[in-house]
Amino acid sequence: MSSDLEPFPAVVELNVGGQSYTTALSTLTKDRDSLLAELFTGRSESGLLHRDSRGRYFIDRDGQLFRYILDYLRTHKLLLPEDFTEVSRLYEEARFYRLAGLMSMLGSSGHTNAAVSANSLPTNGASGKAAGFLIIGYRGTFAFGRDGLADVKFRKVYRILVSGKVSLAREVFGDTLNESRDPDRGQSSRYSARFYLKHIYLEQAFDMLAATGFRFISCCASGTSALVGPPETEESKWHHYNEFVFQRS
């Protein structure tokens, strides 16, 4: 490990995948066989630990799930919310950090245990997957050519929005779901209208919904250029907003 990361302070500020944490050095090093203990005692030469622009120690892993890693290190207990649905992902994080005790608690395969399953969402008897609705919305316009004329054959999408139950949105869209605008990340039982996708391909979003058992049931559309006076640009006359409702029953 490079000398600029030593010595480690008694209180450590972390940036894990964009999420900020402050914890005691003794907590990070409690499990002597873990990767965290190796990193924060200077025994590791892996190069996994860096500093971000604010001087925090940066670890490029799932920042939301790291809270459960810290809880385990503090208590040596498995403390998960009743609606927790990401046991498999947490198991992979425990494997990365080499926390054998936590891996054992989560189960050798990382599948959802009976205690978590008993508190899951209502499911479809045929598929065993949670039922519910997801709404996909987008604001867009039509592409313009060199002569300033709208080409209705080419759609320009600025952002694809997702609203619905958090656990369903995560199940369908996985790593393509951007939760940065949501203030209460990590609570799977909530509903949110603040998510959006990291790409702008409607067809890809619809394919992911179809692949997870959702079917299209309704849509609505409206223009968004109801301005007083002349439009700022020719393109602004063609702005529109569409929503598509999908259901898994």
Side-chain angles (χ1 to χ4, degrees):
M1 178 174 294
S2 59
S3 60
D4 64 321
L5 295 179
E6 298 178 352
F8 294 102
V11 177
V12 180
E13 292 188 0
L14 299 169
N15 173 354
V16 183
Q19 299 290 311
S20 297
Y21 292 93
T22 301
T23 190
L25 179 63
S26 59
T27 298
L28 293 173
T29 58
K30 182 175 289 188
D31 188 327
R32 300 294 297 174
D33 296 324
S34 72
L35 176 62
L36 288 169
E38 188 175 292
L39 291 172
F40 286 95
T41 55
R43 293 186 283 123
S44 175
E45 298 291 339
S46 63
L48 291 174
L49 202 59
H50 306 281
R51 289 187 185 269
D52 66 9
S53 60
R54 294 175 53 184
R56 299 170 298 186
Y57 295 103
F58 175 74
I59 302 175
D60 191 15
R61 296 295 296 184
D62 191 311
Q64 296 179 42
L65 293 179
F66 190 73
R67 71 183 65 186
Y68 304 114
I69 300 294
L70 279 183
D71 282 345
Y72 168 76
L73 290 173
R74 289 166 178 152
T75 66
H76 274 227
K77 297 179 181 178
L78 180 59
L79 304 173
L80 299 177
E82 291 185 352
D83 60 351
F84 189 77
T85 60
E86 299 184 279
V87 175
S88 295
R89 291 180 62 184
L90 181 56
Y91 182 87
E92 291 305 312
E93 294 302 297
R95 187 205 301 272
F96 173 79
Y97 292 113
R98 302 205 303 262
L99 295 169
L102 180 56
M103 291 170 64
S104 177
M105 292 177 182
L106 290 167
S108 59
S109 65
H111 292 306
T112 306
N113 57 34
V116 177
S117 297
N119 294 289
S120 62
L121 292 167
T123 59
N124 179 329
S127 67
K129 294 182 178 180
F133 294 85
L134 286 174
I135 299 175
I136 307 300
Y138 83 89
R139 182 175 65 87
T141 187
F142 295 109
F144 275 67
R146 294 182 179 179
D147 298 327
L149 299 176
D151 187 341
V152 296
K153 298 189 296 296
F154 293 93
R155 178 186 59 220
K156 290 175 63 177
V157 177
Y158 296 112
R159 178 171 285 181
I160 299 176
L161 308 175
V162 179
S163 61
K165 194 145 193 174
V166 173
S167 57
L168 290 179
R170 288 175 176 164
E171 176 197 340
V172 173
F173 298 111
D175 292 339
T176 67
L177 187 70
N178 192 320
E179 302 183 35
S180 62
R181 295 176 64 246
D182 187 70
D184 299 312
R185 283 169 284 177
Q187 300 179 22
S188 298
S189 63
R190 294 180 307 102
Y191 288 80
S192 177
R194 291 178 173 268
F195 294 159
Y196 63 94
L197 299 184
K198 297 177 182 178
H199 61 79
I200 55 171
Y201 305 108
L202 280 171
E203 293 79 7
Q204 180 179 344
F206 294 166
D207 283 346
M208 296 177 79
L209 285 156
T212 49
F214 282 82
R215 62 186 182 89
F216 168 75
I217 60 171
S218 184
C219 69
C220 63
S222 66
T224 61
S225 59
L227 304 174
V228 176
E232 295 181 4
T233 65
E234 181 67 19
E235 183 173 325
S236 66
K237 293 194 302 184
W238 297 86
H239 286 174
H240 54 276
Y241 181 76
N242 295 326
E243 281 191 344
F244 304 89
V245 181
F246 291 82
Q247 180 187 24
R248 186 168 67 191
S249 59

